[in-house]
Amino acid sequence: MAVVSNFVRRMNRLLPVLRSGTRVMSDSSSLPGVPSSTFISGAMSYQSNISKDGDRRGQTSNIVDVDGRKIHCEETGSGKHHVLLMPGALGSSITDFMPQLRNFNKDMFSLIAWDPPGYGKSYPPSREWVDNFLHEDAKIAARLMEVLDITKYSLLGWSDGGITAMILAAAHPEHVKKLVIWGANSYLTKDERDMLRKIQNIDQWSEKMKKPYLDVYGEEYFRKAWAQWVDAFIKSYFDSADGDICKGILSKITCPSLIIHGGKDVIVPQLHPDFLHKQILGSRLVNMPDGKHNLHLQFYKEFNSIVENFLLEQ
């Protein structure tokens, strides 16, 4: 009960955020190049998190035909290690991953950041909210990589993209080299369902929080699509599945996996990464005490370093 009560208090802090230091990096084994005790401090607003010192040269914007769907991808880098970046709910390659696209080692990695159907520049057409839509996204993402003729790749998934990445990794272990996820959960509680209902109306959001989405979609589409996302997520993964998003497939993830969690994430509390760490065999858990839900944007230099070291580890 104490864990649940604490979680409810954290969720209640979310609406004011929308409207308006433990020194530890804990894991089951240390990462090369990262000390066993790391303190990540400081913060940037969403508007200032895009890298100013990164390199966008060689970054291309492409439309790929995937079984009749026009899927947009941002691609950069010439390395042999291919990495698919998977955005959050209604997110896109540009809004969610620019600090990675600009700042990852482009000699070692080739990055592909995709926009799921109806998201980012894969819109239009509008999103179709089929049952278990994140599982459908995983199938389309796997087909995307097949169309691109990339047979081995790693996955970086944030929030919804982290869920999709877990589903893909479990379904196609023969293709996925490594998995990195943050801000992701494998089940949905009643309190979390209720929290989603509270933020379903974007009038509850601050202008600052809405702006990146409005810039991409305009208000009419984003208002409608966000409300539909909340309905579809609850219907697919709470009402129809008793809160099970992808718990049942976690044991099928066999690739090396890294879970990163922000200590100030009020959307996905600590109990979720702890659960994932226990259920995904051999996984590592890294806690960034000052990180929020968008820790990869807040602290992109530290995040990129941790992830690059993990991906390059033999």
Side-chain angles (χ1 to χ4, degrees):
M1 289 299 293
V3 172
V4 173
S5 297
N6 182 58
F7 170 60
V8 172
R9 286 195 295 271
R10 291 165 64 89
M11 291 300 102
N12 287 337
R13 287 160 48 198
L14 179 60
L15 279 176
V17 169
L18 291 174
R19 294 186 180 122
S20 52
T22 302
R23 293 176 178 261
V24 59
M25 183 189 79
S26 62
D27 60 2
S28 56
S29 56
S30 60
L31 294 170
V34 181
S36 59
S37 178
T38 298
F39 180 59
I40 299 176
S41 60
M44 301 181 190
S45 70
Y46 190 92
Q47 299 302 319
S48 64
N49 57 36
I50 300 302
S51 167
K52 301 296 191 299
D53 59 351
D55 180 6
R56 199 175 180 181
R57 291 173 299 172
Q59 184 173 322
T60 61
S61 180
N62 303 308
I63 298 294
V64 183
D65 189 304
V66 180
D67 301 328
R69 297 181 177 88
K70 303 301 182 184
I71 300 298
H72 171 258
C73 299
E74 293 284 323
E75 300 182 53
T76 189
S78 57
K80 294 182 179 180
H81 193 143
H82 291 86
V83 183
L84 177 62
L85 285 67
M86 314 184 81
L90 272 293
S92 70
S93 53
I94 297 297
T95 59
D96 290 12
F97 292 119
M98 191 60 77
Q100 285 68 52
L101 292 168
R102 288 187 176 181
N103 294 285
F104 252 59
N105 185 325
K106 299 187 180 186
D107 295 323
M108 302 299 297
F109 300 102
S110 291
L111 304 184
I112 305 103
W114 86 312
D115 295 348
Y119 289 14
K121 293 182 181 179
S122 296
Y123 160 76
S126 299
R127 177 80 194 213
E128 295 181 4
W129 300 102
V130 299
D131 289 342
N132 300 317
F133 63 94
L134 295 177
H135 289 70
E136 184 67 16
D137 279 357
K139 294 176 184 177
I140 298 169
R143 281 289 295 135
L144 167 68
M145 300 306 278
E146 186 176 346
V147 170
L148 293 174
D149 197 27
I150 300 171
T151 58
K152 281 286 188 179
Y153 48 89
S154 293
L155 301 173
L156 267 64
W158 176 35
S159 198
D160 266 20
I163 298 171
T164 305
M166 289 189 285
I167 296 168
L168 198 165
H172 295 284
E174 72 279 11
H175 294 310
V176 179
K177 294 173 65 175
K178 293 190 177 184
L179 172 69
V180 181
I181 55 175
W182 65 103
N185 51 314
S186 62
Y187 62 90
L188 185 69
T189 68
K190 180 179 181 298
D191 291 318
E192 289 166 327
R193 179 203 63 183
D194 294 344
M195 180 274 293
L196 290 176
R197 288 298 186 200
K198 288 181 181 179
I199 61 172
Q200 186 167 14
N201 184 346
I202 65 170
D203 290 338
Q204 301 296 320
W205 296 33
S206 70
E207 292 304 315
K208 180 179 178 182
M209 291 296 296
K210 286 188 289 189
K211 187 179 186 305
Y213 298 99
L214 298 183
D215 288 347
V216 173
Y217 301 112
E219 182 170 346
E220 181 179 0
Y221 180 73
F222 178 60
R223 180 182 294 276
K224 178 181 178 181
W226 178 257
Q228 290 175 331
W229 176 87
V230 172
D231 285 338
F233 194 85
I234 291 174
K235 178 178 181 290
S236 291
Y237 299 115
F238 189 85
D239 295 342
S240 300
D242 197 27
D244 186 350
I245 301 172
C246 62
K247 285 196 303 183
I249 57 89
L250 297 179
S251 63
K252 297 180 180 179
I253 298 174
T254 58
C255 64
S257 301
L258 175 64
I259 304 156
I260 305 176
H261 180 65
K264 295 183 179 179
D265 188 340
V266 298
I267 298 175
V268 177
Q270 186 73 47
L271 61 96
H272 284 295
D274 287 346
F275 180 82
L276 295 174
H277 181 38
K278 291 177 181 177
Q279 298 299 315
I280 300 175
L281 185 64
S283 63
R284 303 177 184 181
L285 174 60
V286 172
N287 285 313
M288 297 174 66
D290 286 339
K292 298 181 182 179
H293 193 60
N294 62 344
L295 57 85
H296 67 298
L297 302 177
Q298 290 179 281
F299 307 115
Y300 69 88
K301 291 182 179 179
E302 293 89 344
F303 175 87
N304 289 359
S305 177
I306 291 169
V307 173
E308 285 184 351
N309 284 326
F310 172 73
L311 294 179
L312 291 173
E313 183 185 27
Q314 297 299 317

